[in-house]
Amino acid sequence: MKDELTLREFEARYHALLAAAAETAENERCVECVGCRACIGCTFCRDSERLVRCHYCVRSTSCTDCSHCRDSRGLLRCQHCVECESCSACSYVTRSVALVDCSYCFGCVGLAGRDFHILNQPYDRESYFVLTRRLARELRIG
């Protein structure tokens, strides 16, 4: 009976589901994705895993509704992010973690609603681009 699920049975079935999900490699409803694994509804992505409705993403994992992101993981609704993790609704963000609704941030952590920041410090637009261009070149990003 379904109502009499023991903790032991729950744990066994839960771990079986996790194992089955980890083995899933097929892409679903993807177009021109190359080297991708377990992606759903993506287009033109490469060498990525577990993307959902992403487009033109490369070497990224567990992202949803993103486009043109590279070397990132756990992004939601982000565009043009590079080497980022756990960001949401961000654009043109590089080497940043846990940002929300930010754009043009470089090396930032935990910011929300910010633009033109480097290492969590604000910069004017012109200074931001001069400095990040140099940093990206030296860090060999992009």
Side-chain angles (χ1 to χ4, degrees):
M1 181 173 226
K2 286 186 180 182
D3 293 337
E4 296 182 27
L5 183 63
T6 67
L7 177 59
R8 186 177 188 169
E9 291 169 333
F10 171 83
E11 288 293 335
R13 289 170 58 189
Y14 175 70
H15 288 288
L17 286 171
L18 288 174
E23 292 176 11
T24 300
E26 294 296 315
N27 295 324
E28 294 181 30
R29 300 181 316 275
C30 293
V31 176
E32 295 298 321
C33 291
V34 177
C36 292
R37 185 172 181 272
C39 295
I40 300 170
C42 298
T43 57
F44 304 103
C45 295
R46 289 191 344 237
D47 304 320
S48 296
E49 186 173 332
R50 301 203 179 283
L51 304 181
V52 178
R53 294 181 307 274
C54 292
H55 312 286
Y56 300 97
C57 291
V58 178
R59 293 180 306 276
S60 294
T61 304
S62 300
C63 298
T64 301
D65 294 325
C66 296
S67 68
H68 299 89
C69 295
R70 287 187 294 114
D71 302 306
S72 296
R73 60 184 297 111
L75 305 183
L76 175 63
R77 294 183 354 249
C78 291
Q79 295 82 39
H80 301 278
C81 292
V82 178
E83 295 183 18
C84 291
E85 186 173 336
S86 302
C87 295
S88 178
C90 293
S91 300
Y92 300 98
V93 171
T94 303
R95 288 191 86 177
S96 295
V97 177
L99 302 186
V100 177
D101 194 28
C102 293
S103 58
Y104 298 103
C105 290
F106 197 107
C108 294
V109 177
L111 296 179
R114 304 292 174 85
D115 301 319
F116 301 106
H117 278 60
I118 301 171
L119 297 172
N120 286 23
Q121 298 301 309
Y123 283 78
D124 65 82
R125 183 183 176 97
E126 184 178 342
S127 298
Y128 174 88
F129 285 115
V130 168
L131 186 51
T132 58
R133 214 177 340 261
R134 182 181 58 78
L135 286 170
R137 189 173 49 251
E138 290 175 8
L139 291 167
R140 296 186 177 142
I141 297 172

